[in-house]
């Protein structure tokens, strides 16, 4: 009997192992970075936020040229070098004691991370048949969530200790995980670069259909700050639910993705099924928002039950939307420019991370029930708009995509 949590032997398992290793360090970094930069480096919270915002803005722009580099020079070598560069950037944080060096290293770290994500997608496209890529990404997402959980636990131990040495150990461990990730990626076969057709310098930005799909996906990703910001504030400000429920909902989401993402992605194998998955996720997300809104003004335990029900619907919507968007991001990209296109598609995450907190807090805390319904409605509209955008993209690209040649 096949274990749905463990990918089959071969490239998918190696990629998942690299993702798992990388995610352990990322989880520890995410949990402890704010404490490290304020308590050890001595930066103000406002400067930390500004520096990281600038860093991720630069990283989102760098993802496209670094993805193009993976197309032209080879995905495996590019991914390995960028993993090592990310590890070096994290190690450099150990020696930062001022704001400007912090911003410079944050930019380098974010650029390496964005480029690594694009190169890894290019590598997957070259090693996994087209109809199996979404399933492979589901395994990677499950591995990512498992790694985040482990890393967050290790980071929590450092926060509990509260010492400079504990925080330094976490950042050193994160740097090591990137190095290990690079070593794991070296176990994969090389993917020969695909000859790139001559084109204007703007590249993917000239593909208005792909830009539209990326923009719609960014709208769907506005749900990203819900668990970390929107629901905690909603629970504290608008409900009588116990505060510990915030942690419980996070665990529920992480565990559900780890266990069920692969199963949710099995039926998504082409553009038609991807569009259907995104549309269904829009309806489920609308239902989740409506259920979350019902948690206000009721008793603590009723509110808790309603919030858990909403969280279940939300994670179902999340897994469906993820599976559909992964498939579209690959199928609508030219075979010789997967890295460039994946780098651009990844900017949707940065946009959601940048605008999401403002949108979520304004709608949910400022507008209450009406805000929840508006968020759900906008998600549903974006999910339905994805279909026409994807079909236009298909019509514009009728050629048969070639699979890159493997080099042993």
């Amino acid at each position: 009997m096949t274990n749905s949590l463990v990918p089959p032997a071969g490239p998918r398992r190696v990629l998942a192992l690299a993702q798992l290793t990388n995610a352990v360090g990322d989880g520890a970094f995410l949990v402890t970075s704010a404490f490290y930069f304020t308590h050890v480096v001595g930066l103000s919270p406002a400067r930390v936020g500004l520096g990281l915002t600038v860093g991720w803005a630069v990283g989102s722009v760098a993802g496209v040229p670094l993805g193009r580099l993976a197309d032209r020079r080879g995905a495996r070598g590019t991914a390995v070098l960028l993993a090592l560069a990310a590890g070096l950037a994290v190690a450099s944080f150990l020696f930062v004691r001022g704001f400007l060096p912090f911003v410079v290293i944050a930019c380098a770290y974010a650029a390496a991370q964005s480029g690594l994500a694009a190169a890894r997608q290019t590598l997957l496209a070259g090693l996994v048949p087209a109809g199996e890529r979404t399933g492979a990404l589901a395994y990677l997402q499950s591995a990512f969530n498992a790694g985040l959980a482990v890393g967050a636990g290790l980071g929590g131990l450092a926060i509990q200790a509260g010492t400079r040495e504990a925080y330094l150990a976490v950042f050193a461990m994160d740097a090591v995980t990137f190095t290990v990730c690079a070593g794991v990626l070296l176990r994969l076969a090389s993917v020969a670069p695909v000859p790139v057709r001559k084109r204007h310098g703007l590249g993917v930005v000239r593909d208005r259909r792909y830009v539209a799909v990326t923009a719609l996906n960014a709208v769907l990703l506005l749900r990203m700050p819900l668990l970390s910001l929107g629901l905690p504030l909603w629970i504290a400000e608008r409900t009588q639910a116990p505060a510990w429920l915030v942690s419980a909902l996070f665990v529920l989401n992480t565990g559900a993705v780890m266990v069920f993402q692969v199963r949710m992605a099995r039926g998504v194998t082409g553009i038609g099924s991807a569009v259907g998955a995104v549309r269904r996720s829009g309806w489920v997300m609308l239902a989740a928002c409506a259920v979350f809104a019902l948690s206000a003004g009721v008793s603590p335990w009723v509110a808790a039950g309603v919030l858990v029900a909403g969280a279940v619907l939300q994670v179902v919507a999340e897994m469906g939307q993820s599976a559909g968007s992964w498939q579209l991001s690959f199928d609508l990209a030219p075979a010789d420019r997967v890295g460039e296109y994946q780098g651009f598609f990844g900017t949707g995450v940065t946009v959601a991370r940048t605008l999401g907190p403002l949108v979520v807090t304004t709608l949910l805390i400022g507008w209450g029930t009406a805000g929840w319904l508006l968020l759900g409605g906008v998600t549903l509209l974006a999910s339905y708009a994805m279909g026409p955008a994807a079909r236009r993209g298909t019509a514009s690209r009728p050629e048969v995509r070639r699979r890159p040649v493997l080099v042993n």
Side-chain angles (χ1 to χ4, degrees), residues 220-229 314 348-350 352-353 356 360:
L220 297 176
L221 290 175
L222 290 175
R223 53 151 174 87
M224 290 180 66
L226 275 182
L227 283 175
S228 61
L229 182 64
Q314 188 269 326
V349 175
T350 305
R353 284 176 174 169
V360 166

Side-chain angles (χ1 to χ4, degrees), residues 8-24:
R12 280 167 282 196
R13 185 172 295 180
V14 177
L15 285 166
L17 179 60
Q19 184 84 313
L20 175 67
T21 304
N22 195 175
V24 171

Side-chain angles (χ1 to χ4, degrees), residues 126-363:
L127 297 173
V128 178
E132 301 175 14
R133 290 171 188 165
T134 295
L137 280 169
Y139 279 116
L140 266 60
Q141 186 67 20
S142 296
F144 180 73
N145 273 39
L148 279 184
V150 173
L154 295 174
L157 294 176
I159 294 173
Q160 184 67 28
T163 63
R164 179 176 182 273
E165 290 74 18
Y167 292 127
L168 292 175
V170 166
F171 272 62
M173 181 198 71
D174 190 17
V176 170
T177 62
F178 278 106
T179 304
V180 175
C181 174
V184 173
L185 291 172
L186 281 173
R187 295 170 52 190
L188 293 165
S190 295
V191 177
V194 179
V196 181
R197 298 188 301 269
K198 290 184 179 180
R199 62 184 183 281
H200 297 291
L202 291 175
V204 63
V205 180
R206 297 179 66 249
D207 190 338
R208 290 178 294 177
R209 297 167 180 85
Y210 201 85
V211 170
V213 169
T214 300
L216 290 170
N217 188 61
V219 174
L220 297 176
L221 290 175
L222 290 175
R223 53 151 174 87
M224 290 180 66
L226 275 182
L227 283 175
S228 61
L229 182 64
L231 280 172
L233 291 176
W234 174 261
I235 290 171
E237 300 290 333
R238 295 288 191 132
T239 80
Q240 300 182 48
W244 55 261
L245 192 64
V246 172
S247 177
L249 295 181
F250 182 85
V251 172
L252 185 153
N253 180 277
T254 304
V257 172
M258 186 173 64
V259 175
F260 296 111
Q261 180 68 79
V262 174
R263 298 178 186 177
M264 289 285 293
R266 280 177 182 162
V268 181
T269 57
I271 291 178
S273 55
V275 168
V278 172
R279 284 182 175 176
R280 288 191 296 274
S281 74
W283 283 108
V284 178
M285 190 63 196
L286 176 60
C289 290
V291 171
F292 280 135
L294 295 175
S295 62
V298 295
S299 66
W301 292 109
V302 172
V306 171
L307 288 166
V308 169
V312 171
L313 290 170
Q314 188 269 326
V315 74
V316 171
E318 174 185 335
M319 291 187 287
Q321 185 266 322
S322 295
S325 65
W326 293 334
Q327 187 74 35
L328 292 174
S329 72
F330 277 115
D331 283 1
L332 299 180
D336 61 346
R337 295 162 65 186
V338 173
E340 177 186 346
Y341 271 59
Q342 287 296 318
F344 182 77
F345 197 76
T347 61
V349 175
T350 305
V351 171
R353 284 176 174 169
T354 304
L355 299 181
L358 176 61
V359 171
V360 166
T361 53
T362 299
L363 291 181

